[in-house]
Each structure stands twice: as structure tokens, then as C-alpha cells.
Amino acid sequence: MEEGGVVIRTAAVAHVRDRRLLQARSAGKDVFYMAGGKIDPGETPEQALHREVREELGVGVSAYRKLGIFECQAYGHAPGTALHMTCFTADLTGDPHPTSEVAELRYFTVGEYASMPHVAPGSMLVFHRLHELGLIDW
């Protein structure tokens, strides 16, 4: 990542069901992205994970493991704006459902997501990592 550029630090959940990865779409947006969001000042990625999952998916996190840190150009932001996403695999306390922040939730294979008209680069990195690990289908 470039020195001095804007970096958006986020925490995200990689929730897999039936070998597909959960993605969320905000109202008025055309791209599906990892459920999660910005890490608040003074907050750890783990704290942000718990807060964002409650806010976006309406459920809690019962168990989680760090999948990795993914860095790329932040989708929908000015060139040079970097995404620094700490992503976790997680078990949820119930079935996720769209909250007021989210218009739609959908589970995708790698190929299904890649064929969408718009994809978030950070999500694509996670899709590829999970496929490499044998956790989701192509």
C-alpha cells in the first residue's frame, strides 16, 4: 500500500453455508460485499466484527477465527484509497437476515460472484482464499 494514502480499515465476516460465501448489498448499491464495516477509533478488529455482524446481519458471532488481512483498492472510492480488511471465518448465533443497513443477503460460489456485473475487489480476494482452502465451490 502507498505511504500517505487514505486507508480504510475494516473487519469482515466470511460466513460459509453449503460451500457458498455470504455477501451483503446495501440499499441503493449494485455491488455485493463482505458483511462488516469500518473499525472505529480505539476498537479492535474483533470488537468491530461483533458490532458489525449485529448491525448488518441481525445475529451474533459465537465463534470466530482470523482468516487473514486482505488489502486492495477500496471499491467505490477515489483511486489510491486502500482497503485494509481483517477477515474472520465465523459461526453465527442464528440465521443472518438483512437489517436496515442491508437491502439483500445472498450466498455465492466463486464463479457466481465473479460473473456479477460489479464485484468488490476485497470480496474477490476472500473468495479466492476460501476456494484455495477448499471451503467454497468454484
Side-chain angles (χ1 to χ4, degrees):
M1 296 287 119
E2 291 180 23
E3 290 298 315
V6 176
V7 178
I8 300 172
R9 296 186 182 281
T10 67
V13 63
H15 181 63
V16 176
R17 187 179 75 191
D18 299 328
R19 300 187 55 79
R20 287 177 156 78
L21 177 61
L22 178 67
Q23 296 285 284
R25 184 179 61 78
S26 295
K29 305 279 183 174
D30 57 2
V31 68
F32 283 85
Y33 58 89
M34 301 296 303
K38 289 182 184 167
I39 299 170
D40 290 339
E43 193 175 44
T44 66
E46 291 80 5
Q47 290 167 328
L49 171 73
H50 285 274
R51 178 180 53 76
E52 288 288 346
V53 166
R54 273 192 309 276
E55 289 175 5
E56 291 196 356
L57 305 180
V59 294
V61 173
S62 58
Y64 61 90
R65 251 182 75 205
K66 188 173 176 179
L67 178 64
I69 293 175
F70 299 84
E71 295 180 313
C72 61
Q73 165 68 34
Y75 183 86
H77 292 268
T81 303
L83 172 69
H84 179 279
M85 178 174 58
T86 304
C87 190
F88 300 87
T89 56
D91 293 329
L92 305 178
T93 59
D95 286 330
H97 56 275
T99 64
S100 59
E101 291 186 17
V102 175
E104 184 180 2
L105 296 176
R106 194 185 299 175
Y107 290 85
F108 293 91
T109 64
V110 181
E112 288 166 348
Y113 187 75
S115 70
M116 296 292 287
H118 303 282
V119 298
S123 287
M124 214 60 246
L125 292 173
V126 175
F127 270 96
H128 285 290
R129 175 74 54 85
L130 291 170
H131 184 258
E132 287 168 7
L133 295 171
L135 299 174
I136 63 172
D137 289 332
W138 187 262

